Amino acid sequence: MSISLKFPDGNVKSFDDDATVLTVAQSISPTLGKKAIAGKLDGQFVDLNAPLSHDGAIEIVTKDGDDGLAVLRNTAAFVLAAALADLNPKMRFGEAHADEDGFYVDTDQDGAQISVDELTAVKDKMKAIIAASDPIKSVSLSQADAAAKFGDDPYRSQLAQEAGDPIAAHQLGDFVGFQEGALLPDLKPLKHFALLSVAGAYWEGKSSNPMLQRIYGTAYYKEADLEADAQRRQEAKERDHRVIGRDLDLFFVDPKVGAGLPYWMPNGATIRRTIERYVIDREVAAGYEHVYTPVLANLDVYKTSGHWQHYREDMFPPMDMGEGEMLELRPMNCPSHIQIYKHHIRSYRDLPMRIAELGMMHRYEKSGALSGLQRVREMTLNDGHTFVALEQVQDEFKKILQLIMSVYADFNITDYTFRLSYRDPANTEKYFDDDEMWNRSQSMLKGAMDDLGLEYYEAEGEAAFYGPKLDIQTKTALGNDETMSTIQLDFMLPKQFELSYVGADGEEHRPVMIHRGIVGTMERFIAYLTEIYKGAFPTWLAPTQVVMIPVNNDAHLDYVNDVKAKLLAEGIRVKVDDRNEKMGYKIREAQTQKVPYTVVVGDDELASASVSVRRYGEQDSMSQSVNMFISAIAADVANYSRTDARANN
């Protein structure tokens, strides 16, 4: 008996049916045999010494690359579970997983769970296991054996039942566990690892199930990579919008009154209001008419639009109002804007018709997916829809894209790419089934991008269910890709809602609908800006733009209040710190709160009708006349603080 294996270069070779990944690697070259740590058969990880049971496509995995790192982290997760079991033989184990960010193990035990303070002892136990160099063995268990071994552990018992019969497992010492993927043949390479944190995680991700404790870690082959990862995580912590939002008193979320429902404090509300006013002004100047529409609509509207069929899992349950009326919290604003369009008979002279709204929407997000402002259940989208004649599509698309790029410039967003998102033609369940519509709309988007001479890449399967789109992918503060803005072509909804306009020929024609969001939702956009700016918002966005500090309240406060009145008259957001605290303390607090300008007034300033100005992040102050200072800060705001937006991060 033999098996046939196909290699990445296309060559096909036959091997004995007891061949392993190691013997296959050695047959290619002794060097590869030494470097091999695992394999992949038809895309599935296989242990180095595991027999290759059937024909298929083979890949040899070495330490280099993402697959090699996945095997290392998978092994680290298994060793972590073994160490925990040794420290507490009664501990129960849920899922263990490795990914591009590290690894984790879900655990449960009676009484108190593992605390962060105990992770050092757990790490020491892992090091002892690694130093002992006992091999990890592949074992096969029957369902009866598993039931006897894991009878006191409901999680491993369930995992065993789902694994089939016999069960493929791994054993290290007395510990037996289920670990998807391959493990290292020996533990020597597992030298550079860290245990990072603990958190709660529902069993199987369901809030109705028990809450387990998830222990996070990461591992690398090189110490330098582990150190770089620690620096990256520290930077992430310093830029975490949830931490900054708490420190600067921007927003809070209280699960007791509603998980995923942020409360905007005055500071955060000021930032949001400034952005909203800016966006509305830019859109009105670009020809958009702003509207307000209800957050509730009859469920039939979303059945007509297709959202109910394609998006039901992300929508809240309908509310039964009696007598057959079912109301739904809207997940999207487009059906609402369609109703605005339909309210009057439209002519070709009305097109393009541009409608915009800061529209509140609701998504049925699972509790475990919620995160600060980035993943919420209630959000406000900077939404807009343009209704155009077919021949106007490409010109309107270009105008929208140019508006978006202009807005990006004002926020100093420069690191972004363009992704044309197409349908997967084989997926007729997810995407509206109309080949002619898809081919026409996709070619229109591509033609517009080519006309503008902009570089882009194409992604099949990333389109909305009703049409292709241009996604503008930005880089977050930590270098991750995130969709900031979209422009979508839609031939489907105008057809579903029977939209029309009277053409120059006096006949009815079907418009094309263009969906677009310039900065996405207010929640996610402000989270993004908070992390990009590291909380040091540019002057035009800062909730407090100036803090004024009198050296002596009795001698200088009246003058400070006079200057404050002049700043307020110019629309500058200013506060006076007249608390009975030391001067140094007040200045440090203004810096901690990342206020762009700290102004100190003493005898010299009073005598010369001036102010002493210190910019955020700078050590030195400079003296300016009041009028000069007001002019300088007004210019800073008017220029959207472009030159200073990130200088001090």
Side-chain angles (χ1 to χ4, degrees):
M1 295 288 292
S2 65
I3 57 173
S4 180
L5 300 177
K6 183 177 181 180
F7 291 84
D9 62 2
N11 287 330
V12 178
K13 294 183 180 180
S14 295
F15 294 86
D16 293 339
D17 59 1
D18 61 351
T20 65
V21 174
L22 178 59
T23 58
V24 171
Q26 291 172 334
S27 74
I28 298 172
S29 75
T31 300
L32 184 60
K34 293 179 180 179
K35 289 184 176 181
I37 60 171
K40 294 178 83 172
L41 184 63
D42 291 334
Q44 300 298 312
F45 279 104
V46 182
D47 285 339
L48 186 67
N49 295 308
L52 299 170
S53 57
H54 58 83
D55 298 345
I58 187 73
E59 300 173 59
I60 306 299
V61 176
T62 66
K63 294 179 182 178
D64 303 323
D66 293 341
D67 286 342
L69 200 56
V71 174
L72 178 74
R73 290 171 174 173
N74 215 33
T75 308
F78 192 81
V79 174
L80 169 58
L84 290 167
D86 192 66
L87 290 169
N88 187 346
K90 294 184 178 181
M91 182 167 281
R92 300 176 287 272
F93 293 91
E95 296 176 330
H97 181 69
D99 56 26
E100 67 278 0
D101 196 47
F103 61 87
Y104 65 77
V105 175
D106 288 346
T107 67
D108 189 27
Q109 64 178 350
D110 296 330
Q113 300 282 34
I114 296 289
S115 69
V116 174
D117 295 337
E118 295 176 274
L119 292 184
T120 299
V122 176
K123 183 177 180 180
D124 289 342
K125 173 58 68 174
M126 291 177 67
K127 288 181 176 179
I129 291 173
I130 294 165
S133 296
D134 290 338
I136 298 177
K137 301 175 183 178
S138 296
V139 295
S140 180
L141 301 175
S142 67
Q143 283 290 343
D145 291 338
K149 190 169 186 62
F150 306 129
D152 295 332
D153 188 336
Y155 312 113
R156 275 192 287 180
S157 294
Q158 181 175 330
L159 291 171
Q161 292 172 8
E162 295 170 352
D165 196 1
I167 304 161
H170 289 92
Q171 182 171 354
L172 178 57
D174 294 330
F175 178 76
V176 177
F178 310 103
Q179 193 80 15
E180 291 185 3
L183 301 184
L184 290 171
D186 66 74
L187 300 181
K188 291 179 182 178
L190 187 55
K191 298 178 181 178
H192 310 296
F193 68 93
L195 299 182
L196 302 170
S197 61
V198 297
Y202 290 112
W203 170 239
E204 296 183 320
K206 298 177 181 178
S207 58
S208 57
N209 284 344
M211 173 74 78
L212 306 185
Q213 184 179 51
R214 179 164 292 177
I215 302 176
Y216 289 94
T218 193
Y220 289 90
Y221 287 105
K222 297 178 181 179
E223 184 176 4
D225 291 337
L226 183 63
E227 291 175 351
D229 180 86
Q231 292 176 356
R232 180 185 67 82
R233 292 179 188 275
Q234 180 60 31
E235 177 73 8
K237 184 178 180 180
E238 291 175 358
R239 290 186 180 272
D240 190 330
H241 80 279
R242 295 166 297 182
V243 175
I244 296 172
R246 178 198 65 212
D247 293 345
L248 300 186
D249 203 21
L250 304 180
F251 73 94
F252 71 89
V253 178
D254 187 346
K256 295 179 182 178
V257 294
L261 303 173
Y263 285 72
W264 294 87
M265 296 298 285
N267 285 344
T270 298
I271 296 170
R272 174 171 170 166
R273 184 170 59 251
T274 302
I275 294 172
E276 290 178 343
R277 287 173 174 171
Y278 165 86
V279 167
I280 291 173
D281 288 345
R282 291 299 307 269
E283 288 178 334
V284 169
Y288 286 86
E289 297 179 290
H290 260 260
V291 299
Y292 295 98
T293 58
V295 297
L296 289 169
N298 193 295
L299 180 61
D300 290 341
V301 170
Y302 298 110
K303 290 181 178 180
T304 301
S305 70
H307 287 98
W308 184 247
Q309 295 87 326
H310 293 273
Y311 203 66
R312 186 183 310 182
E313 291 183 357
D314 297 313
M315 297 171 65
F316 277 92
M319 292 172 275
D320 190 345
M321 308 303 291
E323 299 182 353
E325 183 184 18
M326 304 292 287
L327 293 183
E328 177 66 35
L329 282 168
R330 68 178 174 193
M332 294 288 187
N333 301 315
C334 31
S336 300
H337 292 182
I338 285 173
Q339 301 308 315
I340 296 283
Y341 179 91
K342 289 184 68 175
H343 190 63
H344 296 297
I345 297 173
R346 304 297 177 182
S347 161
Y348 71 95
R349 294 186 178 90
D350 299 323
L351 307 183
M353 180 178 175
R354 304 178 182 97
I355 299 173
E357 179 179 11
L358 292 169
M360 185 180 291
M361 310 182 307
H362 294 80
R363 304 283 174 86
Y364 187 68
E365 296 279 6
K366 302 294 185 183
S367 297
L370 300 173
S371 178
L373 296 177
Q374 288 177 325
R375 293 292 293 271
V376 294
R377 287 174 171 158
E378 178 185 272
M379 66 217 72
T380 299
L381 181 64
N382 159 224
D383 211 357
H385 298 89
T386 304
F387 300 88
V388 297
L390 184 62
E391 62 273 14
Q392 297 172 327
V393 167
Q394 290 194 354
D395 283 344
E396 186 65 18
F397 175 89
K398 294 175 189 176
K399 290 178 181 178
I400 294 171
L401 182 52
Q402 288 165 344
L403 174 61
I404 290 174
M405 291 191 292
S406 174
V407 169
Y408 280 15
D410 287 343
F411 285 96
N412 202 20
I413 300 171
T414 58
D415 193 357
Y416 56 89
T417 56
F418 300 109
R419 181 182 74 189
L420 287 181
S421 297
Y422 301 148
R423 68 160 175 170
D424 176 0
N427 192 342
T428 55
E429 291 186 8
K430 179 179 178 181
Y431 297 107
F432 184 62
D433 191 13
D434 186 332
D435 289 341
E436 181 182 356
M437 179 276 284
W438 281 103
N439 292 336
R440 173 186 287 181
S441 55
Q442 288 177 178
S443 66
M444 282 183 168
L445 281 185
K446 183 176 175 64
M449 292 298 290
D450 290 339
D451 287 348
L452 289 170
L454 296 171
E455 293 185 5
Y456 58 88
Y457 64 99
E458 298 166 294
E460 188 175 277
E462 294 293 334
F465 71 85
Y466 47 74
K469 56 180 179 171
L470 173 72
D471 288 318
I472 304 180
Q473 304 294 108
T474 57
K475 288 288 187 183
T476 66
L478 299 177
N480 300 318
D481 275 338
E482 182 176 282
T483 301
M484 178 71 71
S485 311
T486 59
I487 309 174
Q488 296 175 309
L489 292 191
D490 185 357
F491 288 75
M492 187 199 85
L493 290 185
K495 180 179 179 181
Q496 297 292 94
F497 284 93
E498 299 180 344
L499 303 186
S500 65
Y501 67 91
V502 179
D505 58 2
E507 301 294 326
E508 287 193 350
H509 300 269
R510 184 87 66 208
V512 179
M513 189 174 179
I514 302 177
H515 308 245
R516 47 104 290 202
I518 296 177
V519 296
T521 68
M522 289 296 110
E523 290 75 12
R524 180 169 286 188
F525 187 55
I526 292 174
Y528 165 84
L529 292 179
T530 301
E531 296 184 353
I532 284 288
Y533 298 140
K534 213 172 181 177
F537 288 92
T539 306
W540 76 284
L541 287 176
T544 299
Q545 296 166 325
V546 180
V547 165
M548 299 194 68
I549 304 173
V551 174
N552 183 297
N553 285 349
D554 293 336
H556 309 126
L557 186 56
D558 288 343
Y559 175 66
V560 165
N561 284 329
D562 287 343
V563 177
K564 174 186 175 182
K566 292 178 180 179
L567 289 166
L568 290 173
E570 295 297 324
I572 306 301
R573 296 185 287 273
V574 56
K575 291 183 178 179
V576 173
D577 189 347
D578 57 0
R579 295 174 298 166
N580 186 26
E581 299 285 354
K582 292 182 179 180
M583 179 67 58
Y585 175 83
K586 293 181 181 181
I587 293 174
R588 285 194 300 274
E589 184 166 280
Q591 295 290 296
T592 300
Q593 291 297 302
K594 303 184 179 183
V595 178
Y597 294 89
T598 301
V599 172
V600 176
V601 171
D603 290 339
D604 291 343
E605 288 74 29
L606 182 61
S608 59
S610 64
V611 289
S612 179
V613 182
R614 179 177 174 180
R615 290 297 308 269
Y616 169 74
E618 297 179 359
Q619 297 299 319
D620 298 328
S621 300
M622 62 181 297
S623 180
Q624 289 181 302
S625 69
V626 173
N627 289 338
M628 183 180 296
F629 173 61
I630 292 175
S631 297
I633 193 172
D636 189 4
V637 171
N639 193 43
Y640 301 110
S641 314
R642 285 192 180 98
T643 57
D644 297 311
R646 303 183 191 182
N648 297 311
N649 291 354

